[in-house]
Amino acid sequence: MLDANAILEALPDPVIVIDRSERICFVNPAAEQFLGCGAAALCGNPLADFVAPQPALASLIDSVWRVGNTISEYDLPLEVPRYGSRSVTIQGALTGDGADQLVLTLHERSMMDRNAARSITAMAAMLAHEVKNPLSGIRGAAQLIEQDADAAGRELTQLICDETDRIVALVDRMEAFSDHRPIEREAVNIHELIERVRKVAQSGFARHVRLVEEYDPSLPPVHGNRDLLVQVFLNLVKNAAEAVSGSDGEIILTTAYRHGLRLAVPGGEGRQDLPLMVSVTDNGAGIPEDLRPYLFDPFVTTKRHGTGLGLALAAKVIGDHGGVIEFDSQPRCTVFRVFLPVVAQHGIG
């Protein structure tokens, strides 16, 4: 028989239960560590005694009490007096008889899409200046040497030219990360976009895979850039196709509307709703445990000849849309979820 307490104690994420007066009723060991206090000191006392006032957290708690839905806040800074500011994703849900208790689950991680973009923007600019320009000189010198070289020498100079061309192409891809121009956006029908991706995949790199469609036909348009989003989902489906093998390979494409998902708006104090979800699920072997924390970083790849830029670029594109990309992975079930804003009812602003 399953022991609920044992399961909660084993969870690596902090779990905090509060009542309607916002007093703490329960914490698991991960929450004790996060808050810097033991359960005896926490339980029975107001949550505000241990977490500094945060309007977005107060709004989340109020919304869960009023509406009853599970609500999530991404990239929320919490000020914990003992440890300072920590960025977390918080999910709130009702529990208990008569829904008189509220469960807060905290996941301490910075958003992978934003950090991926930030961590390599400076690198991309540096590469363009410090690497790309000297490479043209190296290539030119190799071509001059080639004129007076014998057959063996020409083979080596050609190798130099080929390798410099390869590095320049890689730097060209990296330069996309240093592009800070606002993307051009319009109302995009997500199902037409995903159908295009499916057709390209089915006729090429995913011809050996069974593609399953699970769509919500009532979804509103996405506020996005069609070409950039096609690039993102082609990359995700291609990765999924390469992860599966054999005759039972399967990729599930899902669209859905998810209430209660919000993200901090960069440069302001507002929160943006991200109700539209697109997921790509495969039944491959899964992502190695040691790569998961770095999966959206550049040059991280499980492919023998991969550059490791596909997911980093996908993360930047989704971040530029004001969205979120995340993943879960275990053997026979790896899912990438993309959450995007939709076109406002009153029009695009």
Side-chain angles (χ1 to χ4, degrees):
M1 185 174 180
L2 291 176
D3 184 340
N5 287 330
I7 294 173
L8 286 170
E9 289 179 0
L11 288 177
D13 293 331
V15 176
I16 304 170
V17 180
I18 60 174
D19 60 19
R20 287 190 176 271
S21 63
E22 296 193 15
R23 291 184 177 273
I24 298 174
C25 305
F26 170 84
V27 289
N28 70 344
E32 294 179 76
Q33 184 176 6
F34 181 87
L35 296 173
C37 287
L42 292 165
C43 292
N45 291 307
L47 179 64
D49 287 355
F50 305 96
V51 177
Q54 162 58 264
L57 176 59
S59 176
L60 178 147
I61 292 172
D62 180 65
S63 297
V64 174
W65 284 126
R66 285 188 296 103
V67 181
N69 289 340
T70 298
I71 297 179
S72 300
E73 287 278 0
Y74 286 89
D75 205 16
L76 186 67
L78 285 188
E79 190 75 27
V80 181
R82 184 164 295 193
Y83 294 115
S85 183
R86 305 170 79 168
S87 183
V88 298
T89 292
I90 301 182
Q91 185 176 72
L94 296 182
T95 188
D97 296 334
D100 56 356
Q101 293 179 329
L102 190 153
V103 179
L104 296 172
T105 305
L106 284 60
H107 188 46
E108 188 175 11
R109 64 172 184 184
S110 52
M111 291 313 301
M112 289 179 282
D113 54 323
R114 294 187 176 190
N115 279 350
R118 291 170 182 167
S119 66
I120 56 181
T121 295
M123 182 195 302
M126 179 275 293
L127 282 174
H129 183 265
E130 300 293 339
V131 176
K132 192 174 177 181
N133 291 340
L135 282 174
S136 63
I138 294 172
R139 195 183 197 285
Q143 289 176 317
L144 288 174
I145 295 172
E146 184 178 24
Q147 297 175 4
D148 299 320
D150 57 16
R154 286 194 295 273
E155 183 177 347
L156 290 175
T157 56
Q158 186 58 51
L159 177 63
I160 293 172
C161 291
D162 290 345
E163 285 302 291
T164 54
D165 289 344
R166 182 182 64 81
I167 297 172
V168 167
L170 180 63
V171 174
D172 285 341
R173 292 188 65 190
M174 286 289 295
E175 283 189 280
F177 293 102
S178 60
D179 187 352
H180 298 291
R181 293 172 298 177
I183 60 175
E184 296 181 3
R185 294 204 270 181
E186 60 182 345
V188 177
N189 184 313
I190 194 64
H191 292 119
E192 291 179 358
L193 187 151
I194 296 298
E195 181 61 14
R196 176 181 167 188
V197 170
R198 186 196 65 79
K199 287 181 178 178
V200 171
Q202 198 77 81
S203 62
F205 56 79
R207 65 170 62 92
H208 65 293
V209 180
R210 178 171 177 257
L211 284 172
V212 179
E213 302 164 12
E214 296 180 353
Y215 298 158
D216 178 349
S218 65
L219 294 180
V222 170
H223 187 199
N225 183 291
R226 186 185 309 273
D227 292 341
L228 290 176
L229 291 176
V230 166
Q231 179 184 0
V232 167
F233 291 113
L234 271 175
N235 181 268
L236 293 180
V237 175
K238 187 172 188 293
N239 286 347
E242 293 173 349
V244 301
S245 60
S247 58
D248 66 339
E250 180 179 87
I251 298 173
I252 303 173
L253 304 176
T254 305
T255 64
Y257 198 89
R258 293 286 187 260
H259 295 277
L261 289 167
R262 294 181 292 184
L263 181 68
V265 177
E269 297 181 357
R271 314 291 292 180
Q272 176 167 268
D273 290 322
L274 302 173
L276 194 144
M277 184 201 76
V278 181
S279 66
V280 179
T281 306
D282 69 70
N283 61 350
I287 299 167
E289 188 76 34
D290 59 334
L291 289 186
R292 296 178 190 180
Y294 316 104
L295 198 62
F296 292 94
D297 290 345
F299 309 119
V300 175
T301 182
T302 59
K303 303 174 187 176
R304 184 174 181 181
H305 300 292
T307 62
L309 292 178
L311 285 177
L313 186 57
K316 180 184 184 300
V317 169
I318 298 304
D320 288 346
H321 278 77
V324 171
I325 180 171
E326 62 182 26
F327 72 95
D328 293 312
S329 184
Q330 54 186 312
R332 305 290 295 176
C333 184
T334 294
V335 53
F336 280 82
R337 300 183 187 89
V338 174
F339 297 94
L340 292 165
V342 298
V343 175
Q345 293 287 340
H346 57 273
I348 300 174

